[in-house]
């Protein structure tokens, strides 16, 4: 995978953000990259979109340094009518230099640039207040990686070198960095802690190659995971989105064989499974940006949340097959969970029926081996 320092072609700087230490650090890392100072962010972003035929593609090579004016922390929105897990997201960076055909950000974010919120001091204040309010409650699962990739820009931002030491002091949080990249160089210089989890999204090799533009092969992601485990970190994996394609069973089974051969199961905090789902409006964007994607020709139904999903028997088959291979390869102690699925699918795939989101949260934050529903 390319170093992002090599792919950034231009830096746009919000004039109000020039003095933040993170702005200075990034400018040093990328010295020599053309820069433009922006006085009026709103007009700038509107014009950036309007003047380009593929603003999303161009935006993947341009950095926008600005301030988070809203809240950094948000409850994960999950999806209506399905079970969530009370995850809390930290929205530090928006967008991602990779270009997955199915990426929901193509639809959700109106700002197409690789956006880094540089007002980190405000983040620490917000986190202190949030975690302070939870004192005495159970552990909260919290992570970056919902509106971007947690490590894709880490060689430039070095966020991991600040976030991990912060959360090491806060065992009331279980902090996850979630990535498809192999940019682990900063992690290999940091002391691990039991409440820090480094997670990789994995997929069958054919999907990784055809639908995850710019992402490293799955075998390299697993090797990166092996190295962070060697460094002492716990890890996690997300088989999401599972995608039907010719040879999908062998594709997913092969990845699970690699995973179980290289990562000890007692170093895996959790594994999530999710079958492909997306709002209908994303299909139009896919057709424009990824006209050769096989996903355009698949048959889907509309779920209760209005999103396209595979027919239930297909969904069940994929989730069940993958869960069984994971159990065979890694044992039954590794907590598996389903992302955005109903209680019925939980029962049929995992033979567990959580009473609600609190139950799932408790299940995923229990020490390994004690993972039971109430
Ligand atoms: S890695 Fe994640 S955030 Fe980046 S393009 Fe792919 S799906 Fe989107």
């Amino acid at each position: 995978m390319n170093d992002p320092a090599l792919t950034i072609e231009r830096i746009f700087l919000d004039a109000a953000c020039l003095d933040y230490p993170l702005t200075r650090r990034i400018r040093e890392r990328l010295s020599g990259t053309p820069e433009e100072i922006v006085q009026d962010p709103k007009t700038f972003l509107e014009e950036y979109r309007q003047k380009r035929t593929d603003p999303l593609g161009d935006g993947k090579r341009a950095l926008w340094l600005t301030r988070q004016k809203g809240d950094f922390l948000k409850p994960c929105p999950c999806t209506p009518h399905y079970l969530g897990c009370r995850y809390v997201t930290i929205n530090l960076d928006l967008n991602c230099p990779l270009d997955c055909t199915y990426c929901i950000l193509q639809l959700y974010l109106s700002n197409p640039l690789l956006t880094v919120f540089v007002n980190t001091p405000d983040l620490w204040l917000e986190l202190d207040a949030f975690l302070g309010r939870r004192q005495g409650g159970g552990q909260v699962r919290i992570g970056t990686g919902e509106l971007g990739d947690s490590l894709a820009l880490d060689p430039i931002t070095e966020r991991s070198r600040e976030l991990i030491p912060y959360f090491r002091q806060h065992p009331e949080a279980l902090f996850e960095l979630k990535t498809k990249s192999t940019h682990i160089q900063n992690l290999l210089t940091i002391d691990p802690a039991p409440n820090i989890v480094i997670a990789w999204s994995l997929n069958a090799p054919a999907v990784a190659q055809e639908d995850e533009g710019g992402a490293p092969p799955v075998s390299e992601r697993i090797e990166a995971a092996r190295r962070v485990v060697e460094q002492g970190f716990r890890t996690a994996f997300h088989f999401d989105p599972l995608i039907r394609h010719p040879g999908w069973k062998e594709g997913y089974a092969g990845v699970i064989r690699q995973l179980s051969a290289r990562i000890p199961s007692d170093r895996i905090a959790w594994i999530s499974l999710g079958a492909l789902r997306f709002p209908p409006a994303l299909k139009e964007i896919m057709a424009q940006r990824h006209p050769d994607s096989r996903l355009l020709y698949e048959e889907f139904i509309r779920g209760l949340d209005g999103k396209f999903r595979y027919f239930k028997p297909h969904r069940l088959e994929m989730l069940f097959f993958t869960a069984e291979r994971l159990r065979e390869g890694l044992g039954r102690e590794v907590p598996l969970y389903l992302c955005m699925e109903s209680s019925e699918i939980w029962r049929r795939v995992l033979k567990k029926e959580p009473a609600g989101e609190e139950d799932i949260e408790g299940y995923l934050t229990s020490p390994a081996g004690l993972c039971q529903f109430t």
Side-chain angles (χ1 to χ4, degrees):
M1 185 187 170
N2 281 336
D3 186 326
L6 304 175
T7 55
I8 303 296
E9 293 172 357
R10 195 163 201 86
I11 310 175
F12 296 98
L13 299 137
D14 182 338
C17 295
L18 299 179
D19 291 333
Y20 283 104
L22 183 52
T23 305
R24 289 203 290 268
R25 190 159 82 219
I26 292 172
R27 292 177 81 181
E28 268 169 40
R29 290 271 175 292
L30 297 179
S31 68
T33 307
E35 293 184 345
E36 198 174 305
I37 295 182
V38 173
Q39 302 294 342
D40 177 357
K42 192 164 174 271
T43 311
F44 159 70
L45 290 171
E46 274 166 19
E47 286 181 1
Y48 191 92
R49 275 197 83 88
Q50 283 162 9
K51 285 185 182 161
R52 289 169 164 77
T53 47
D54 181 17
L56 288 161
D58 291 353
K60 289 178 181 294
R61 298 186 299 279
L63 211 52
W64 168 228
L65 307 187
T66 188
R67 256 182 56 218
Q68 170 63 280
K69 296 187 186 76
D71 293 335
F72 280 102
L73 306 185
K74 300 253 162 65
C76 177
C78 190
T79 196
H81 306 291
Y82 294 91
L83 278 173
C85 60
R86 308 229 297 194
Y87 197 83
V88 175
T89 64
I90 310 178
N91 299 329
L92 281 180
D93 302 327
L94 306 181
N95 284 314
C96 163
L98 309 182
D99 202 359
C100 302
T101 56
Y102 54 75
C103 181
I104 191 68
L105 302 182
Q106 298 173 100
L107 174 67
Y108 280 172
L109 299 179
S110 54
N111 159 12
L113 292 131
L114 291 176
T115 300
V116 176
F117 294 124
V118 291
N119 51 328
T120 326
D122 296 331
L123 168 70
W124 306 134
L125 292 175
E126 196 178 326
L127 274 170
D128 285 348
F130 171 76
L131 294 173
R133 285 195 299 274
R134 286 191 60 103
Q135 284 296 338
Q139 221 177 10
V140 58
R141 288 170 69 235
I142 185 166
T144 60
E146 290 303 305
L147 298 181
D149 181 291
S150 298
L151 293 178
L153 294 177
D154 205 55
I156 295 174
T157 63
E158 298 192 339
R159 290 225 191 254
S160 61
R161 291 163 73 95
E162 295 179 330
L163 286 163
I164 292 175
Y166 176 88
F167 280 104
R168 189 183 299 115
Q169 306 300 321
H170 290 276
E172 67 274 29
L174 206 43
F175 174 63
E176 180 183 37
L177 291 167
K178 198 190 298 177
T179 189
K180 284 193 182 94
S181 88
T182 47
H183 293 313
I184 54 168
Q185 47 275 58
N186 288 324
L187 301 182
L188 299 181
T189 66
I190 303 171
D191 286 339
N195 65 326
I196 310 292
V197 174
I198 317 295
W200 270 268
S201 297
L202 300 180
N203 221 309
V207 174
Q209 197 181 334
E210 291 174 33
D211 291 287
E212 297 182 341
V218 175
S219 56
E220 289 180 20
R221 300 179 212 173
I222 296 175
E223 173 57 16
R226 192 197 62 75
R227 291 179 68 198
V228 303
V229 165
E230 205 172 65
Q231 174 78 3
F233 286 101
R234 287 206 297 160
T235 186
F237 298 95
H238 300 280
F239 283 83
D240 194 352
L242 294 170
I243 290 180
R244 287 181 84 84
H245 60 281
W248 66 266
K249 285 189 177 172
E250 183 41 37
Y252 288 112
V255 171
I256 293 166
R257 279 196 297 274
Q258 282 185 51
L259 189 61
S260 40
R262 288 154 86 185
I263 309 291
S265 48
D266 62 357
R267 302 308 295 156
I268 301 177
W270 52 72
I271 296 179
S272 77
L273 306 176
L276 180 69
R277 62 225 170 255
F278 59 90
L282 181 64
K283 202 165 179 181
E284 236 171 82
I285 299 175
M286 265 191 222
Q288 283 165 10
R289 300 201 61 244
H290 309 285
D292 298 329
S293 171
R294 76 170 84 81
L295 302 182
L296 294 168
Y297 308 101
E298 286 283 335
E299 277 194 83
F300 299 104
I301 50 144
R302 298 282 281 268
L304 292 172
D305 54 0
K307 290 181 185 166
F308 281 145
R309 292 172 175 251
Y310 291 119
F311 295 107
K312 197 197 263 185
H314 286 171
R315 224 155 81 220
L316 272 168
E317 186 190 18
M318 297 187 81
L319 293 167
F320 189 77
F321 175 88
T322 312
E324 284 304 295
R325 297 295 87 72
L326 284 165
R327 284 178 165 145
E328 282 165 17
L330 294 162
R332 296 201 162 257
E333 288 72 32
V334 175
L336 303 184
Y337 73 98
L338 303 182
C339 194
M340 301 189 196
E341 282 295 352
S342 61
S343 318
E344 184 204 341
I345 303 276
W346 269 79
R347 180 167 39 77
R348 292 176 68 175
V349 174
L350 299 182
K351 315 285 181 246
K352 297 170 190 293
E353 190 152 2
E357 297 185 350
E358 201 171 339
D359 224 12
I360 299 177
E361 185 183 46
Y363 165 61
L364 295 172
T365 54
S366 306
L370 296 177
C371 302
Q372 296 297 330
F373 287 112
T374 50

